[in-house]
Every structure is written in C-alpha cells, then in structure tokens.
Amino acid sequence: MNSTQPNYGFSATNGDLRTTNPLPRAVLRSNNYLLLDGEWRFALDPDDVGLRDAWYVSHQYEHVANWPGSVEEHMDQTREPGQPTSRWQDKVVAWYEREFPLPERGDDHSLFQLTFGACGYETQVWLNGHLLRTIEGEDIHYGEYTSFSFELRNEYLRPINRITVRIADTMDAETPRGKQESHVYKRGGIWYQTHTGAVRSVWLEMVERNRLRTRVGVESVIEDRLVRFNMTTRIHDPGVYTVRLQVFSTNEPAPQPLAVSEFELRLEAGQRQQRMVMELPGAKLWGPGMPNLYRLVAQLIDSEGYTAQIETHFGLRKVESRGRHVYLNNEPTYLDGILYQPGTATYEEMRLHMHAMLELGCNLVRVHIAGVDPRIYNLADELGLLLWVEVPSPHSSTPRSRENHRAELLRMLALIQSHPSVVIWSLYNEDWGCQDIATNPETRRYIIDMYHYMQIEHPQFLVVDNDGWQHISQEGRLKSDLLTAHLYTPDLPRWQELLDRLVEGEMIGTAAFPLVVGDPFFYRRQKPLIVSEWGGFGFADYGGPQAGEERTERIRQFKQELRRRDIAGDVYTQATNIEDERNGVIDPHTGALSVPAGLLSSKGDGEQVTGNR
C-alpha cells in the first residue's frame, strides 16, 4: 500500500458549500479532515469465519480494493482471468483494512472522529483491534444509505493506526433494498443488480469534544419570516453553553450577518436536540426560479469562550396540499416532474443529470427509492429544483420489515431535513414492502402512524403514504397529502380515457390497483391529483416509440392532455437509462438530452388548461 499518497495530509473544510466541499455531506465543519479513500486491503469471507477467527486482530488479506466501491466491483476485480463473473446469491461478507498515521491533535478541546459517508447494510469497525461503537451507541451499524460516525478513544490510538471493517449484506426481503434484487424480486426488468458495501467516502477529522453535530433541521413560517432551527448538541463536559446563530446572505459578500441570536443552555453529557427560532425581516423566499439561500453559521460556546462551529445554507419556503392544488409559498404551483433513478452514477454524473432535468423544463425531481450523495440536495437547493424523496423499501411486509423501514426513514430525516428543495416524501411505492396494505390492519396502522409522525415532527414536508395506488383512507380521511396514480399506456385515446376517469374521482379501474384502500374515500377534488408516473416510452414492458421525433411528439401530446385537466402535477418516467430500463431522455454519462429542451415544461405550451395556472 502506498503510504505517500496525498490523502494522508490533513485538509481544511473551510469554504463555500457549493465549491469546496469534497466530502459527501451537506453541512460543513470548520476543521481539518483526512480522506481515507484509496487502496484498502480486501478479502471475502464466504464461510463467515472472520469474527470467530478474529480477523480484526490479524489476517493475511489476499487482495487490494479501492474505497469507495461496491462489493460487487471488488469481487469482479479479484476474479482470475478467464473465470466467469460471479454474483453473490444469498449473503456476502467482506473485510477491508488499511493503516493511517495519526495526525497532530489540535488541543485538549478536540478528539478524532471517523465518519463513513454510507456503508452496509451491516457494518462493524475496529481500531487497532478494538471494536468501535457509533455515537448512537451501535456495535453494528445497520443501513447503507446515510452516514454514521465513531469518536476514537485516546487509549485506542497509536502513531500508526489500523482500521478494520466488516461489511455484511443479504438478499433478505425485510431490509430496505429499494430496487436492488432480493429473495422476493429478482434482477431483471425494473429490478437491479445489488450495489452494496463500501459505497461512499470515509474520513477522519478533528472535532470538538463539545460541539454541534452536522444535523440541522429547518422549518420556516414565511408569513412572519420566522425560521426554526433544530440543532443537535454533543457534550462530553456538562455545563452552561451558549448557542450563537448567525445568518448571512449568500448573494452578497457583506461581512456583517443579517441576524444574530444567542441561546443559553445547561447541557448534560450526551446528545440533545433543541429548537431555536430566529426572525429574518425582509428575507426573500426560496422556490423554482428564485432559489434564494441564506448561510447559517452555528456556534457552540463554552463558559471559557471556546467555540465549535458548523455551517450550512437554508431557504425560507412553505409547501401545502390544499384542495386541488399544491401551493408553494402560498401560490398554486404545477409540478412538472421527472422520475430519477441514479443507480451507480457518480456525484459528477448526477450533477450533469440535475442540470439536464432543469433544461427539460422540470421543476420537480422524484428521486426514486434510492440513497444519493447528500451534496445533490445542496445542488437542488442552489438550482431551485424541488425534490420528492422516498424511503428505500423492503420487499416484504412483516413487523421486522416495518421496524427496518422506520429506522431508515429516521436516518434519512436526520441528515436532509434542512433542505428547502426537499418538499415531498413517499413512505412506500406501489406497495413494495407493504403488499398486504389492503388486507392487514397492522400494515395500515404503521403507515398511518408514520404519516401522523411526519405531520407533527416535520410539517415542512408533504407526505405520500403509498405512491401509485392503494392509498389509505381512515374514516374517509386520506392518510396522504397527495392522491397519486401511476398510469402507463402508449395509446393516446386510452390515455385520455384514463385521465378523464381519474379527475372524475373513479377509484377503481384507473391504475393497476384501486386508488384507495380501507374506508370509502370520496374524492370531490379535496386532494391534489398527481400522475406520479407515466410514459416510460422505450421500455419494452410499457410500449410506445423507442426514440426520435415520434417519441418526442408522443411525450408532447401526453403532457398536453395532462395540462387540459384538473391535475396538480405529473412525473415523467424517466430521466436516464438504468440496466434493463431503456427509457431515459438524458445520457447517463454526458447529461446530453435526446429530446428537445423544455419538453416537460407546462409553461408556454399554448394549450388551454383548467384551473392549474
């Protein structure tokens, strides 16, 4: 292993979020970091003997692999020439290890923290043979879509340190898998090859013993220009602390903050969340075409004046489901959406995709049951793109799958609740992971409880219970902020018929399954209607023209029919090709459009529409 590679030097994370954030996180810390990407020793553990044989103490590794990278990639790289490609079918266990020299410590106020941008599904980490526990107290971290961190104890540290990582995953249908194959849904068609393991960067950084964590929630009351910040403190030394919040404009280089507030707290050891409210008179609102952002500098100051600082940006916006429309900042807003499945795209490729979706005329991107690099949320904030995010779904409906689903939702919320671009959440999609939604009261009870939780704890979002069909009605109240339908047909007269039946409130016979389950629901235009999937032209299972002017014209005709009706938004399927789904309109590598710019925009189409503008 090359110990002279440049990532051994500590680098600073100070700077602009948009240009100098090399780490997959949305909140910056004013400190130094050591990126541990690059060559790691690697070994598969097909018989799962590594724990029994204490590989974390000593092991002769057979291979070298580059982190970040998937287990699947690393398995391919270890194949002997001429051997066929092998894929794991039930369970995979892989071990990674590397050394790093201990950088100089800043002062007694600091400690070293190790962070994984994403890894899993099950991850265990050892430092010099000692098992580490996450800040949340986990010996094993579960989940592969969000970051997690370890504070490194002084007694474990050496001048040269060895990190050992064990990663395990299975085809278990009870874990949140998104569209990766499982024992229930096998690869092919709309189901994809697994992509698991060391999938995002890992880094060492110096953090303060007493600090604010990089978990910031933002809710705004735009009528009063009030912003509620939900901050998380991490304390080792109990005492009285001051939290100072400063808000700066991101568009003007003025050194003076627009607003400053201080909050005194008596904090015990451990972790605590605290809401703090600031008023920003005259603040501009955030939205498509007006992505007005502000910079928050948050400081935790101890009784001796020592300061720990984090930085993020935010925007003031309000989203509501009100009658037939989605209202953004109190204005009815038609959602011109597109379905996005990033798959294994790099951050730079996703960046190209986001710009291309904006060029298509979209104001909404539905990130389809996938975990993405959190810098993408920052980019959407800056571009003024609305995001619809979804919990990667399990593939079976059991008490354990619901427990795993809830844990994944909470992990995602902790890290992306500050972004004005994120406006809609789906709990489930097409009843994947809740297949018994129509017959099992326990399944419906869980979804209703999570819908109510989101309404109370995260009112800044709209929430969809089960996107596409089989929404839950309890006593005639829809437990979803949107009534959504997935409609696929390549035939224009059939498309017109389906849309007519949808806007008339027909709950049966429009989508593949009834639109509502549970108690009767009487539509009467009391919820916004969203056709949240349509098109798919080019994918064999959906039909329609493969490409060229014929496909462009079909998309234009179908979009015009949507806008002629009392529909609040639509989501075209889809942005890029992925595996067997060859229906994208954006080149996955270059971001180039294969259809005319503006094709998915409902502005300036010259068509007569009813009540949506």
Side-chain angles (χ1 to χ4, degrees), residues 483-501:
L483 182 59
T484 67
H486 295 177
L487 306 180
Y488 284 109
T489 176
D491 181 69
L492 183 59
R494 174 63 173 162
W495 178 244
Q496 294 167 328
E497 176 194 349
L498 289 174
L499 295 181
D500 286 340
R501 295 174 65 182

Side-chain angles (χ1 to χ4, degrees), residues 321 451 455 461-464 478-483 527-528:
S321 165
Y451 172 71
Q455 280 190 315
F461 305 126
L462 301 182
V463 179
V464 177
L478 199 68
K479 298 304 177 179
S480 178
D481 293 323
L482 306 172
L483 182 59
K527 289 280 185 177

Side-chain angles (χ1 to χ4, degrees), residues 40 45 72 123 152 202 205 233 247 268 366 371 407 409 455 457 462 500 525 573:
W40 288 60
D45 187 3
E72 292 78 12
T123 306
L152 306 186
V202 55
E205 60 186 323
T233 57
V247 174
E268 302 299 325
R366 182 175 160 220
L409 170 63
Q455 280 190 315
E457 296 295 330
L462 301 182
D500 286 340
R525 292 173 171 78
T573 304

Side-chain angles (χ1 to χ4, degrees), residues 488-491 534-547 550-551 554-555 558 572-573 582-583:
Y488 284 109
T489 176
D491 181 69
W534 66 276
F537 306 134
F539 180 45
D541 289 0
Y542 298 155
Q546 298 289 313
E550 184 183 1
R551 180 169 67 160
R554 189 71 56 87
I555 294 171
F558 274 48
Y572 179 76
T573 304
R582 318 301 294 177
N583 52 4

Side-chain angles (χ1 to χ4, degrees), residues 8-10 32-34 100-106 112 157-159 161 204-206:
Y8 271 89
F10 249 25
N32 298 322
Y33 70 92
L34 174 65
F100 67 91
L102 189 67
E104 291 185 11
R105 185 188 304 275
F112 289 107
L157 293 167
R158 305 285 183 268
N161 295 273
L204 179 75
E205 60 186 323
M206 280 176 30

Side-chain angles (χ1 to χ4, degrees), residues 586-605:
I586 299 169
D587 187 283
H589 304 298
T590 68
L593 299 182
S594 61
V595 295
L599 182 63
L600 295 179
S601 172
S602 59
K603 295 181 179 179
D605 56 15

Side-chain angles (χ1 to χ4, degrees), residues 265-318:
L265 295 172
R266 180 173 293 277
L267 298 174
E268 302 299 325
Q271 188 160 292
R272 168 179 166 178
Q273 290 186 323
Q274 179 68 47
R275 171 178 283 184
M276 301 165 184
V277 181
M278 293 183 67
E279 186 176 2
L280 297 177
K284 298 178 181 178
L285 302 184
W286 182 96
M290 53 175 191
N292 298 303
L293 293 172
Y294 294 90
R295 183 166 61 99
L296 172 70
V297 175
Q299 299 172 324
L300 182 69
I301 307 168
D302 68 17
S303 58
E304 298 178 356
Y306 187 85
T307 300
Q309 178 173 306
I310 59 173
E311 174 185 330
T312 191
H313 68 218
F314 68 95
L316 282 75
R317 66 106 179 101
K318 175 184 180 182

